[in-house]
Amino acid sequence: MTPFMVRVAEALGEDVDPSDLPAVATRPAVIRPVGKGNDLQIAYRGLTEQLVCEVNALLYEEDEHMSLVDDIVGNEMMFSVYYRGRAAVVSTVFGEGKAYGRVVADGLDNSEPQELAGPESVQDLLLLLLLESDTPRHPAH
């Protein structure tokens, strides 16, 4: 198992106190050149796909799996991770030769445009989604 899968297995095997929910590191959205913004979006998307697969490998019931959906709305390229009626959305907004990233999810401060602080934030974002969604607890395998 990967280190992330170990974290997920531990979370699935115990009741988690709300004060122990992972803190997702974010920072104010930074304006970048379009190419850099696109590269970051694609990198986060690829990493998220890998991590969603790792989470789903530990969830017993297929209808309890996380899902990953890509979309483009207007000038915004995004992917959303859904789990038990909740979602986390990571996107990049393009315009006027510039781009900036955004992350929106329950449990995050969404008052100002925020982006993930780095690749390690993806793990915490998925764990937050998993743990805030009333995950059925069971012994992890």
Side-chain angles (χ1 to χ4, degrees), residues 3 8 26 29-30 49 62 74 77 84 87 93 101-102 118 124 138-140:
V8 171
T26 61
V30 175
E49 181 174 15
E62 188 172 329
M77 179 170 52
R84 301 190 102 208
V93 179
R102 292 187 347 165
D124 292 331
H138 53 77

Side-chain angles (χ1 to χ4, degrees), residues 54-109:
E54 291 181 19
V55 169
N56 287 342
L58 295 172
L59 295 172
Y60 288 124
E61 302 297 326
E62 188 172 329
D63 61 348
E64 289 289 333
H65 283 181
M66 285 186 169
S67 62
L68 178 62
V69 177
D70 297 302
D71 202 2
I72 296 177
V73 178
N75 63 345
E76 190 170 9
M77 179 170 52
M78 66 186 73
F79 62 86
S80 303
V81 180
Y82 296 96
Y83 183 69
R84 301 190 102 208
R86 291 182 169 237
V89 181
V90 177
S91 68
T92 299
V93 179
F94 299 93
E96 299 179 15
K98 298 175 184 165
Y100 67 92
R102 292 187 347 165
V103 58
V104 177
D106 291 335
L108 298 181
D109 177 9

Side-chain angles (χ1 to χ4, degrees), residues 4-14 16 21-22 24 51-52 54-60 64-67 81-84 86-88 105-106 122-138:
F4 178 61
M5 290 175 81
V6 171
R7 287 180 70 195
V8 171
E10 289 172 355
L12 292 174
E14 60 188 58
V16 177
L21 290 174
V24 179
L51 296 174
V52 165
E54 291 181 19
V55 169
N56 287 342
L58 295 172
L59 295 172
Y60 288 124
E64 289 289 333
H65 283 181
M66 285 186 169
S67 62
V81 180
Y82 296 96
Y83 183 69
R84 301 190 102 208
R86 291 182 169 237
D106 291 335
V122 177
Q123 290 184 13
D124 292 331
L125 182 64
L126 295 182
L127 277 172
L128 182 66
L129 184 62
L130 186 72
L131 296 172
E132 281 200 327
S133 297
D134 193 27
T135 303
R137 305 287 175 204
H138 53 77

